PDB file of all heavy atoms in Angstrom:
ATOM      1  N   THR B  25     114.195-140.414 -69.196  1.00  0.00           N
ATOM      2  CA  THR B  25     112.808-140.861 -69.083  1.00  0.00           C
ATOM      3  C   THR B  25     112.128-140.127 -67.918  1.00  0.00           C
ATOM      4  O   THR B  25     112.768-139.336 -67.222  1.00  0.00           O
ATOM      5  CB  THR B  25     112.741-142.371 -68.826  1.00  0.00           C
ATOM      6  OG1 THR B  25     113.251-142.623 -67.501  1.00  0.00           O
ATOM      7  CG2 THR B  25     113.559-143.161 -69.843  1.00  0.00           C
ATOM      8  N   SER B  26     110.884-140.453 -67.687  1.00  0.00           N
ATOM      9  CA  SER B  26     110.155-139.855 -66.564  1.00  0.00           C
ATOM     10  C   SER B  26     110.654-140.401 -65.225  1.00  0.00           C
ATOM     11  O   SER B  26     110.314-139.865 -64.174  1.00  0.00           O
ATOM     12  CB  SER B  26     108.666-140.133 -66.701  1.00  0.00           C
ATOM     13  OG  SER B  26     108.409-141.513 -66.754  1.00  0.00           O
ATOM     14  N   SER B  27     111.480-141.447 -65.274  1.00  0.00           N
ATOM     15  CA  SER B  27     112.047-142.029 -64.042  1.00  0.00           C
ATOM     16  C   SER B  27     113.335-141.361 -63.622  1.00  0.00           C
ATOM     17  O   SER B  27     113.819-141.598 -62.514  1.00  0.00           O
ATOM     18  CB  SER B  27     112.292-143.533 -64.238  1.00  0.00           C
ATOM     19  OG  SER B  27     111.081-144.216 -64.459  1.00  0.00           O
ATOM     20  N   ASP B  28     113.910-140.580 -64.507  1.00  0.00           N
ATOM     21  CA  ASP B  28     115.145-139.886 -64.131  1.00  0.00           C
ATOM     22  C   ASP B  28     115.036-138.392 -64.462  1.00  0.00           C
ATOM     23  O   ASP B  28     114.554-137.626 -63.641  1.00  0.00           O
ATOM     24  CB  ASP B  28     116.380-140.552 -64.775  1.00  0.00           C
ATOM     25  CG  ASP B  28     116.140-141.031 -66.212  1.00  0.00           C
ATOM     26  OD1 ASP B  28     115.864-140.175 -67.077  1.00  0.00           O
ATOM     27  OD2 ASP B  28     116.239-142.239 -66.467  1.00  0.00           O
ATOM     28  N   VAL B  29     115.451-137.993 -65.657  1.00  0.00           N
ATOM     29  CA  VAL B  29     115.456-136.561 -66.004  1.00  0.00           C
ATOM     30  C   VAL B  29     114.086-135.921 -65.782  1.00  0.00           C
ATOM     31  O   VAL B  29     113.980-134.832 -65.187  1.00  0.00           O
ATOM     32  CB  VAL B  29     115.907-136.357 -67.457  1.00  0.00           C
ATOM     33  CG1 VAL B  29     115.787-134.878 -67.847  1.00  0.00           C
ATOM     34  CG2 VAL B  29     117.350-136.835 -67.647  1.00  0.00           C
ATOM     35  N   GLY B  30     113.048-136.558 -66.281  1.00  0.00           N
ATOM     36  CA  GLY B  30     111.711-135.970 -66.206  1.00  0.00           C
ATOM     37  C   GLY B  30     111.095-136.008 -64.830  1.00  0.00           C
ATOM     38  O   GLY B  30     110.143-135.256 -64.556  1.00  0.00           O
ATOM     39  N   GLY B  31     111.636-136.847 -63.947  1.00  0.00           N
ATOM     40  CA  GLY B  31     111.007-137.033 -62.641  1.00  0.00           C
ATOM     41  C   GLY B  31     111.571-136.182 -61.520  1.00  0.00           C
ATOM     42  O   GLY B  31     110.963-136.067 -60.460  1.00  0.00           O
ATOM     43  N   TYR B  32     112.739-135.603 -61.750  1.00  0.00           N
ATOM     44  CA  TYR B  32     113.410-134.850 -60.689  1.00  0.00           C
ATOM     45  C   TYR B  32     114.140-133.652 -61.278  1.00  0.00           C
ATOM     46  O   TYR B  32     114.624-133.700 -62.403  1.00  0.00           O
ATOM     47  CB  TYR B  32     114.447-135.733 -59.980  1.00  0.00           C
ATOM     48  CG  TYR B  32     113.913-137.050 -59.478  1.00  0.00           C
ATOM     49  CD1 TYR B  32     113.969-138.197 -60.278  1.00  0.00           C
ATOM     50  CD2 TYR B  32     113.362-137.160 -58.209  1.00  0.00           C
ATOM     51  CE1 TYR B  32     113.475-139.409 -59.829  1.00  0.00           C
ATOM     52  CE2 TYR B  32     112.861-138.367 -57.756  1.00  0.00           C
ATOM     53  CZ  TYR B  32     112.922-139.479 -58.564  1.00  0.00           C
ATOM     54  OH  TYR B  32     112.434-140.673 -58.114  1.00  0.00           O
ATOM     55  N   ASN B  33     114.261-132.596 -60.491  1.00  0.00           N
ATOM     56  CA  ASN B  33     115.057-131.444 -60.926  1.00  0.00           C
ATOM     57  C   ASN B  33     116.482-131.569 -60.391  1.00  0.00           C
ATOM     58  O   ASN B  33     117.020-130.644 -59.758  1.00  0.00           O
ATOM     59  CB  ASN B  33     114.406-130.153 -60.435  1.00  0.00           C
ATOM     60  CG  ASN B  33     113.137-129.838 -61.211  1.00  0.00           C
ATOM     61  OD1 ASN B  33     113.070-130.095 -62.421  1.00  0.00           O
ATOM     62  ND2 ASN B  33     112.126-129.335 -60.538  1.00  0.00           N
ATOM     63  N   TYR B  34     117.055-132.719 -60.635  1.00  0.00           N
ATOM     64  CA  TYR B  34     118.401-133.007 -60.150  1.00  0.00           C
ATOM     65  C   TYR B  34     119.299-133.463 -61.308  1.00  0.00           C
ATOM     66  O   TYR B  34     119.861-134.557 -61.269  1.00  0.00           O
ATOM     67  CB  TYR B  34     118.367-134.061 -59.057  1.00  0.00           C
ATOM     68  CG  TYR B  34     117.654-133.638 -57.795  1.00  0.00           C
ATOM     69  CD1 TYR B  34     116.668-134.440 -57.240  1.00  0.00           C
ATOM     70  CD2 TYR B  34     117.970-132.442 -57.160  1.00  0.00           C
ATOM     71  CE1 TYR B  34     116.019-134.059 -56.075  1.00  0.00           C
ATOM     72  CE2 TYR B  34     117.324-132.053 -56.001  1.00  0.00           C
ATOM     73  CZ  TYR B  34     116.347-132.865 -55.466  1.00  0.00           C
ATOM     74  OH  TYR B  34     115.715-132.488 -54.315  1.00  0.00           O
ATOM     75  N   VAL B  35     119.402-132.608 -62.289  1.00  0.00           N
ATOM     76  CA  VAL B  35     120.302-132.876 -63.400  1.00  0.00           C
ATOM     77  C   VAL B  35     121.563-132.034 -63.201  1.00  0.00           C
ATOM     78  O   VAL B  35     121.485-130.837 -62.903  1.00  0.00           O
ATOM     79  CB  VAL B  35     119.669-132.539 -64.761  1.00  0.00           C
ATOM     80  CG1 VAL B  35     120.681-132.739 -65.895  1.00  0.00           C
ATOM     81  CG2 VAL B  35     118.438-133.403 -64.993  1.00  0.00           C
ATOM     82  N   SER B  36     122.702-132.653 -63.364  1.00  0.00           N
ATOM     83  CA  SER B  36     123.972-131.944 -63.270  1.00  0.00           C
ATOM     84  C   SER B  36     124.771-132.192 -64.542  1.00  0.00           C
ATOM     85  O   SER B  36     124.519-133.154 -65.273  1.00  0.00           O
ATOM     86  CB  SER B  36     124.761-132.375 -62.035  1.00  0.00           C
ATOM     87  OG  SER B  36     124.865-133.782 -61.943  1.00  0.00           O
TER      88      SER B  36
END
Side-chain angles (χ1 to χ4, degrees):
Chain B
T25 69
S26 58
S27 297
D28 38 63
V29 175
Y32 307 92
N33 288 323
Y34 295 129
V35 176
S36 51

